[in-house]
Amino acid sequence: GAGVSQSPSNKVTEKGKDVELRCDPISGHTALYWYRQSLGQGLEFLIYFQGNSAPDKSGLPSDRFSAERTGGSVSTLTIQRTQQEDSAVYLCASSLGVHNEQFFGPGTRLTVL
Amino acid sequence: QKEVEQDPGPLSVPEGAIVSLNCTYSNSAFQYFMWYRQYSRKGPELLMYTYSSGNKEDGRFTAQVDKSSKYISLFIRDSQPSDSATYLCAGTYNAGNMLTFGGGTRLMVKP
């Protein structure tokens, strides 16, 4: 079946602009995660959604970062007033439930000029 | 100190060799451990998923967890050039919670 999909695959933006990154999880997966992968920091957790529960935002690096998950499916990660240090690959993952392994999408490569 | 540590490599081996990849972790609350393979410019792909201590085998891959020493390993038998990738280990308290990743080890298998 279809895996996790993300769009766009690449995004180049100017410092100070807002960006939106989209994730479509595997159908039927109730849990959705956002991670960031950068050269200096490796792969870091950002935010986690599980069903209708309040999201775990403990990994968001600043209040410029926010995420939504509509209808328990698609999620959007928004970065406001982008900075050069936000340049990274943003990865989305989903899992069937709280006791299941996570499957990753291909990522969105964000470059902030 | 990061919660999960990996030697970044690169690790270069000849085709057919047995590869040993290792991680150490510091959080004794971790119960679930994963190995992911990541090809260049692709998302991580789940290889192995284990709970607590012990071994798990899947084809050419064997994962080992030793919670007493906080040490996790991935062995690849009969390595192939197609195994050339970055291997990421991860741990978590609960399989549905956020993963804490090591920095990844880059493996190169030469024909």
Side-chain angles (χ1 to χ4, degrees):
Chain A
V4 177
S5 61
Q6 293 186 246
S7 61
S9 55
N10 285 282
K11 176 72 176 178
V12 180
T13 190
E14 293 179 347
K15 177 182 173 181
K17 301 279 191 182
D18 297 353
V19 295
E20 286 189 351
L21 312 178
R22 177 187 168 107
C23 172
D24 283 84
I26 294 171
S27 177
H29 280 197
T30 61
L32 186 148
Y33 313 78
W34 284 98
Y35 293 84
R36 177 170 71 175
Q37 188 171 32
S38 56
L39 277 175
Q41 299 298 320
L43 225 161
E44 303 172 291
F45 165 76
L46 295 176
I47 187 169
Y48 156 56
F49 297 88
Q50 170 55 41
N52 295 321
S53 302
D56 178 350
K57 304 179 182 179
S58 59
L60 295 178
S62 79
D63 58 7
R64 296 186 296 105
F65 289 73
S66 62
E68 289 185 339
R69 189 176 185 194
T70 54
S73 181
V74 171
S75 178
T76 302
L77 177 69
T78 301
I79 309 173
Q80 295 179 310
R81 304 180 302 282
T82 51
Q83 303 295 312
Q84 289 182 330
E85 61 263 28
D86 299 334
S87 296
V89 177
Y90 289 82
L91 290 157
C92 176
S94 70
S95 66
L96 189 58
V98 293
H99 297 295
N100 299 95
E101 56 269 34
Q102 298 175 28
F103 296 91
F104 282 81
T108 294
R109 183 173 297 271
L110 174 67
T111 303
V112 181
L113 301 177
Chain B
Q1 182 190 6
K2 291 191 173 184
E3 282 191 287
V4 181
E5 299 273 6
Q6 272 184 275
D7 186 327
L11 176 63
S12 182
V13 301
E15 183 175 356
I18 296 175
V19 176
S20 173
L21 301 167
N22 307 294
C23 288
T24 58
Y25 65 96
S26 58
N27 193 327
S28 57
F30 284 170
Q31 295 284 344
Y32 295 83
F33 303 91
M34 293 87 173
W35 283 96
Y36 285 83
R37 177 175 63 194
Q38 187 174 27
Y39 293 112
S40 182
R41 293 186 170 261
K42 301 287 186 183
E45 170 194 8
L46 181 65
L47 280 178
M48 300 290 283
Y49 172 71
T50 55
Y51 171 70
S52 195
S53 285
N55 293 359
K56 185 174 182 179
E57 187 173 324
D58 184 1
R60 296 186 296 112
F61 299 91
T62 299
Q64 283 186 353
V65 177
D66 182 347
K67 291 191 70 183
S68 63
S69 59
K70 298 189 180 68
Y71 198 82
I72 54 180
S73 302
L74 178 71
F75 299 96
I76 307 173
R77 291 180 296 282
D78 186 26
S79 57
Q80 303 295 310
S82 58
D83 294 328
S84 298
T86 296
Y87 289 79
L88 300 157
C89 63
T92 185
Y93 317 97
N94 179 317
N97 282 1
M98 59 142 178
L99 299 177
T100 300
F101 283 88
T105 299
R106 186 175 162 217
L107 171 67
M108 296 188 295
V109 181
K110 297 188 175 181

